[in-house]
Amino acid sequence: MSIIMRGIRPFFCAILCTGFLFGFAGCTDSEQTVIRIYGSTTTEPILERIAQAYSRQSDVRIEVVPTGSHKGIAALVGGHCELAASSVPAADSELGEGAAEYREFVFGYDMVVPIVHPGNPIRDLSLTQLRGIFSGKIDRWSSLGGEELPIQTVNRDEASGTHDIWSRVVAPIPDGALEPVVLSSNSEVAAYVAAHPQAIGYISAGFINMEIKPLAIDGIDASIENARKKRYPILRRLLLYTTEDCLTWEIKSFIIYLLSDEGQKEVERAGFVPVDVFG
C-alpha cells in the first residue's frame, strides 16, 4: 500500500505539481458538486465539522455517512462513494487486486479509551487487567477494588475499526467466553455505560463526556501530551482512502483544506489529535 501523506507541505507540493489548478477527470464530472464520504463512526464528528466549515467557502456539498470503517472501504471499492474514512489501516485483502491504485491520507490521530460508569470507583487499569476483563478471566469489580458487582463488557461490532484495534492491543473475545454487549457506535457505547454501573466499554477520546468516566491505562491518561510523546498505549491514525480516478479537483481541494491549519484546528476542536503534533 502506498502512503502518500507523510507531511502536509509535501502533499501540497505534490497536488500543485500534478495539475491541481487545471482540474481532473475521474469519478465525478465537471458538474458534480457532491463528495460522499462513507466509513468510520469515529471520524464522523471531525468530518461533519470540516464539511460545515468547508461549505462556507465552496459550493461543493459533502455527505458524511457513518457506516463503520470496513463498510466504508467496501463502499469505496464498490464505487458507492468517492472517499472512505477509516480508523484502522485498510488491508490489501479489502482493496482487492487493485490495492496499489488506492491512496491513503492521514488527517489526525485518536486514542481509544476504556470507560466506566461515573459511580465506579476504579480510575486506572493496567493492560493486563483489561485483557483479563475482556477475555472473561476477571468477572467481578470487587477483584479490582471496586463494588461487589459482576463486570459487563461492552464491545463494538466487527465493522468497526475501533473494535479491531481494541482486539489487537487488549484482547479478542475467546471462544466460549461470555458474549459482551455489542454496539455499533462510540455514542451507543457511551450511552450504555452511562446507564449501567456494572459496565465497561471503550470509545474514541473524541466522544468522552461528563456522563462517563474515562480510565487511565497503566497510569497514563488519554491526553494530547501523552499522544505527542507516544506514551498512550492505544493510539491510532485516522485515515481517508480514495482512488487515482477519484482524485478530482474538488476532492483534492477538500483534502488540502482538511490538512490545512484551519482544518487541523477543527480536528483538535472535535477532540482529536492534529497531525502536526508529531512534527
Side-chain angles (χ1 to χ4, degrees):
M1 166 100 33
S2 173
I3 299 177
I4 296 296
M5 213 303 288
R6 297 186 182 275
I8 295 174
R9 295 186 185 279
F11 174 77
F12 280 12
C13 181
I15 294 297
L16 291 171
C17 291
T18 55
F20 169 70
L21 296 178
F22 299 99
F24 295 80
C27 292
T28 58
D29 60 32
S30 60
E31 300 298 320
Q32 181 68 44
T33 59
V34 178
I35 297 173
R36 299 164 297 176
I37 308 175
Y38 282 38
S40 169
T41 62
T42 293
T43 65
E44 180 191 8
I46 304 175
L47 295 174
E48 288 286 5
R49 291 182 70 105
I50 296 293
Q52 291 172 15
Y54 187 68
S55 67
R56 291 193 286 269
Q57 61 181 20
S58 169
D59 60 1
V60 174
R61 180 162 58 89
I62 299 167
E63 296 179 353
V64 181
V65 184
T67 59
S69 294
H70 296 297
K71 289 183 179 178
I73 297 296
L76 178 65
V77 172
H80 303 299
C81 61
E82 290 73 45
L83 290 167
S86 183
S87 62
V88 64
D92 284 351
S93 59
E94 291 181 281
L95 300 176
E97 293 182 0
E101 299 300 317
Y102 290 85
R103 294 294 175 260
E104 176 189 87
F105 302 92
V106 180
F107 66 93
Y109 290 82
D110 180 36
M111 292 167 282
V112 180
V113 185
I115 59 168
V116 295
H117 187 275
N120 191 321
I122 302 295
R123 295 183 178 277
D124 180 14
L125 291 171
S126 67
L127 269 178
T128 299
Q129 289 171 323
L130 286 168
R131 288 174 182 138
I133 290 169
F134 280 85
S135 67
K137 295 177 181 178
I138 301 174
D139 59 6
R140 301 198 71 81
W141 284 113
S142 56
S143 64
L144 298 169
E147 302 291 338
E148 187 56 53
L149 288 172
I151 296 175
Q152 182 179 49
T153 55
V154 185
N155 214 331
R156 292 291 304 281
D157 62 33
E158 292 187 356
S160 162
T162 306
H163 169 275
D164 282 4
I165 190 169
W166 188 265
S167 295
R168 186 169 67 250
V169 177
V170 179
I173 302 169
D175 293 338
L178 182 65
E179 185 69 21
V181 174
V182 177
L183 299 171
S184 62
S185 72
N186 288 281
S187 297
E188 289 180 3
V189 172
Y192 188 93
V193 171
H196 294 83
Q198 75 276 26
I200 181 170
Y202 52 90
I203 61 173
S204 159
F207 288 80
I208 293 172
N209 60 54
M210 298 298 292
E211 297 180 351
I212 53 177
K213 179 193 286 187
L215 301 181
I217 300 177
D218 288 315
I220 303 169
D221 294 320
S223 66
I224 287 185
E225 183 61 25
N226 284 329
R228 178 183 292 111
K229 294 179 179 178
K230 297 185 179 180
R231 296 182 64 227
Y232 191 76
I234 314 180
L235 179 68
R236 58 177 172 175
R237 299 177 298 161
L238 302 178
L239 307 159
L240 281 181
Y241 287 91
T242 191
T243 65
E244 292 280 7
D245 288 343
C246 283
L247 278 173
T248 59
W249 186 94
E250 293 88 354
I251 290 176
K252 288 187 176 185
S253 179
F254 172 70
I255 294 173
I256 284 176
Y257 179 79
L258 177 55
L259 298 177
S260 70
D261 289 343
E262 186 174 352
Q264 289 293 293
K265 285 177 183 176
E266 293 294 341
V267 169
E268 189 165 8
R269 290 187 189 108
F272 297 88
V273 184
V275 171
D276 63 4
V277 160
F278 298 98

